[in-house]
Amino acid sequence: MQNNSIAIVGCGIAGISASIELIKRGIPHTIFEAKNFIGGRFYSFYDKHLGFEIDNGQHLFSSAYDNFFSLIEFLGTLNYVEKLDKPEILFFQSNNHTIKLKEIFFTGKVGTLFGLLFFNYLPFRSRISVLKFFLHLNDSKTNGNESTNAFDYLLLHKQERSTIDKFWNPIAVSIFNNSLQRIPANLFVETLKLAFLRNSRQNGFTYSIVPQSHLIVRFPRILEKNGGKLLLATSVQKIQKNGNHFEIQTNSNQKFLFDYVILCVQPNVLKRLLPDDWLQMSYFDFLHKVNFNPIVSIYVTTPNEITTSKFGFLSNSSAHWIFNKTRMCKLNFPPYLYSFTTSNAHQLHPMQQSELIKMIEEDVNKLFNKKVSFINSKVIKDKFATIDLDIEFNKLRPKQESPIDGLFIAGDWTQTGLPATLESAALSGKLAVLKMLNYLNRI
């Protein structure tokens, strides 16, 4: 039996974020990670059929991801992400027709608002209604109701159903990995303000120019250099109190004693780790409301380029986004590597790989007006991609400080005021450490 001071369980983005906050303060700690690699669901791997290193799921970062960017800046990999010169979203329509939503005349939120007037993807009347809605959001006093869903909130503020289907739904499903009918209005409103109505530096989109594991690859070495320990392929089986200490039992039947524990795991894992009497506390009521929304990513290689654009939204397609990985990551070509991503993919998740590939081929032919043959393909289905942050669960999202003295919880699903994103995960780890330090000052 070994003794240490602080344990972090889980080395995804939340765990890495919590660890970095401790490293900055010179506080040694031990991290337990069940997998033999770090990053949680944020990882990459080499696929021998495609001949490329690909991501578990494609990420497009909002430029407002302050905490996530601070994390990779600390790791020295901020130069591996690239921001678009001008914030814009491409909407691909049938017959290779593309419409841009971009800043017009000005930079920042003023330019975004002007850009809506020239966004002819929508009828002019709809553009005016969307512009009015953004002006409504720009009022600092505007807040959504936590008991109303985003769809009803949009209807209440005179957004037509056709505008919701064509414009608001693509935004919502991409950011929240959820349907408008399930997204809490207050979370929807605050997220739109952060994503679209901040200053020019924070507007727009950023993407990785390397496989995403490369953004965090330096973490183990930095942790070790600062006196920390990382135990990979070490699954925590049970956590309980042994006197004033937490006893952690691992898959190898080793037992460790710690004064403080930060859990950075998915909520369904807590049911297995924690004693039943702890789980009966009202704090853990959220465990009765846990559901997940899947994401399906389809990678293909092609002999010819589908589009020279780096990414864009696919209108009237089963897939939501296309990412030109060859252009984004400056890969040698041919072949060309593309990723097609579908959020909230409950309908696609049960489909066979052959069905999904055929679907993508048909959509490419329709949208880009060209017959493109796929050389190889890889389908990645993540059934547990993000927590279903519906109205009920959002009300129960736990704070990072639990009622168990010395036990703290982090994860994109905890109370951060953000959707279940990388930014939320990074923020949660930081908040858990701050709560722990406040707790130490009180005792």
Side-chain angles (χ1 to χ4, degrees), residues 32-251:
F32 296 84
E33 171 52 54
K35 298 176 182 176
N36 61 359
F37 57 87
I38 66 171
R41 287 187 167 82
F42 187 74
Y43 71 94
S44 314
F45 63 95
Y46 180 80
D47 185 84
K48 63 181 181 180
H49 297 293
L50 291 172
F52 290 98
E53 187 176 1
I54 61 175
D55 298 329
N56 177 53
Q58 179 64 51
H59 287 275
L60 188 62
F61 316 125
S62 165
S63 296
Y65 274 22
D66 298 329
N67 294 284
F68 177 72
F69 290 140
S70 293
L71 182 153
I72 60 175
E73 183 177 24
F74 181 86
L75 297 178
T77 57
L78 188 59
N79 59 314
Y80 290 160
V81 298
E82 190 169 287
K83 184 177 179 181
L84 291 179
D85 294 334
K86 292 184 178 180
E88 65 179 22
I89 304 176
L90 300 182
F91 285 71
F92 294 109
Q93 296 185 293
S94 300
N95 298 317
N96 206 25
H97 183 53
T98 304
I99 298 176
K100 295 181 180 180
L101 175 59
K102 59 181 181 179
E103 289 181 352
I104 299 289
F105 302 134
F106 303 95
T107 59
K109 61 184 179 183
V110 176
T112 300
L113 295 177
F114 268 99
L116 286 169
L117 291 175
F118 295 85
F119 183 48
N120 58 6
Y121 177 71
L122 298 173
F124 186 73
R125 176 180 173 181
S126 296
R127 285 177 249 167
I128 295 298
S129 71
V130 171
L131 178 59
K132 287 181 178 179
F133 185 81
F134 270 111
L135 291 172
H136 161 71
L137 293 184
N138 197 43
D139 183 346
S140 60
K141 297 180 181 179
T142 297
N143 294 296
N145 189 313
E146 67 172 1
S147 298
T148 302
N149 66 54
F151 182 82
D152 289 340
Y153 187 84
L154 288 167
L155 289 177
L156 179 66
H157 291 276
K158 301 179 181 179
Q159 299 299 293
E160 296 178 352
R161 289 179 181 268
S162 59
T163 305
I164 293 173
D165 290 340
K166 290 188 66 176
F167 182 77
W168 291 113
N169 192 57
I171 291 175
V173 75
S174 300
I175 296 176
F176 296 89
N177 190 31
N178 212 341
S179 66
L180 283 165
Q181 287 83 354
R182 297 184 66 79
I183 300 168
N186 59 330
L187 185 62
F188 181 71
V189 167
E190 292 307 312
T191 302
L192 290 181
K193 287 182 178 181
L194 287 172
F196 297 102
L197 296 176
R198 300 178 79 181
N199 64 46
S200 58
R201 182 185 65 83
Q202 294 162 316
N203 272 357
F205 299 98
T206 304
Y207 56 88
S208 177
I209 61 175
V210 295
Q212 56 197 21
S213 287
H214 295 224
L215 296 178
I216 55 175
V217 69
R218 298 177 183 176
F219 171 72
R221 186 173 70 252
I222 292 173
L223 174 66
E224 183 179 358
K225 183 180 178 181
N226 286 275
K229 296 179 182 178
L230 173 61
L231 303 179
L232 293 175
T234 305
S235 174
V236 172
Q237 300 297 301
K238 203 70 180 174
I239 299 175
Q240 57 189 7
K241 271 290 185 78
N242 184 344
N244 292 325
H245 300 289
F246 290 93
E247 180 181 286
I248 290 181
Q249 182 176 336
T250 68
N251 54 334

Side-chain angles (χ1 to χ4, degrees), residues 188-443:
F188 181 71
V189 167
E190 292 307 312
T191 302
L192 290 181
K193 287 182 178 181
L194 287 172
F196 297 102
L197 296 176
R198 300 178 79 181
N199 64 46
S200 58
R201 182 185 65 83
Q202 294 162 316
N203 272 357
F205 299 98
T206 304
Y207 56 88
S208 177
I209 61 175
V210 295
Q212 56 197 21
S213 287
H214 295 224
L215 296 178
I216 55 175
V217 69
R218 298 177 183 176
F219 171 72
R221 186 173 70 252
I222 292 173
L223 174 66
E224 183 179 358
K225 183 180 178 181
N226 286 275
K229 296 179 182 178
L230 173 61
L231 303 179
L232 293 175
T234 305
S235 174
V236 172
Q237 300 297 301
K238 203 70 180 174
I239 299 175
Q240 57 189 7
K241 271 290 185 78
N242 184 344
N244 292 325
H245 300 289
F246 290 93
E247 180 181 286
I248 290 181
Q249 182 176 336
T250 68
N251 54 334
S252 59
N253 288 322
Q254 282 187 292
K255 292 182 179 179
F256 300 79
L257 291 180
F258 293 92
D259 296 324
Y260 308 98
V261 174
I262 302 176
L263 293 177
C264 303
V265 297
Q266 290 281 41
N268 52 324
V269 177
L270 296 177
K271 295 179 181 180
R272 175 177 60 81
L273 295 183
L274 302 181
D276 290 339
D277 57 330
W278 295 5
L279 297 176
Q280 300 305 314
M281 298 178 178
S282 60
Y283 173 87
F284 292 101
D285 284 349
F286 64 88
L287 291 175
H288 303 295
K289 302 294 182 181
V290 174
N291 292 294
F292 293 88
N293 289 331
I295 293 177
V296 172
S297 299
I298 302 171
Y299 287 86
V300 301
T301 51
T302 65
N304 301 307
E305 199 165 30
I306 297 174
T307 174
T308 59
S309 300
K310 292 179 178 177
F311 60 85
F313 184 81
L314 301 174
S315 304
N316 301 316
S317 170
S318 298
H320 294 139
W321 291 85
I322 180 174
F323 296 91
N324 186 338
K325 301 295 289 184
T326 300
R327 297 274 179 176
M328 293 171 71
C329 299
K330 301 178 177 64
L331 303 175
N332 294 326
F333 58 88
Y336 296 87
L337 178 64
Y338 287 90
S339 169
F340 296 85
T341 300
T342 303
S343 301
N344 198 30
H346 290 283
Q347 291 184 331
L348 301 191
H349 194 269
M351 294 174 64
Q352 299 295 318
Q353 175 163 326
S354 58
E355 295 178 286
L356 292 168
I357 298 303
K358 183 179 179 181
M359 175 196 76
I360 292 298
E361 285 181 338
E362 292 174 352
D363 286 349
V364 167
N365 293 339
K366 175 183 66 178
L367 291 170
F368 298 96
N369 198 27
K370 59 177 67 175
K371 183 72 174 179
V372 177
S373 59
F374 297 159
I375 301 172
N376 283 304
S377 60
K378 175 72 174 182
V379 175
I380 301 174
K381 299 178 180 180
D382 191 345
K383 185 177 181 180
F384 303 100
T386 65
I387 199 78
D388 181 2
L389 280 180
D390 64 356
I391 290 175
E392 283 190 88
F393 189 90
N394 195 56
K395 289 179 181 179
L396 296 172
R397 289 175 84 172
K399 295 179 180 180
Q400 286 72 34
E401 184 174 2
S402 84
I404 311 299
D405 287 344
L407 181 68
F408 303 85
I409 296 179
D412 59 13
W413 50 274
T414 60
Q415 199 174 110
T416 63
L418 299 171
T421 58
L422 292 170
E423 174 67 1
S424 182
L427 176 58
S428 74
K430 181 177 181 178
L431 291 174
V433 170
L434 293 177
K435 295 286 186 180
M436 186 186 72
L437 295 177
N438 287 336
Y439 173 82
L440 289 174
N441 288 334
R442 294 198 304 266
I443 61 175

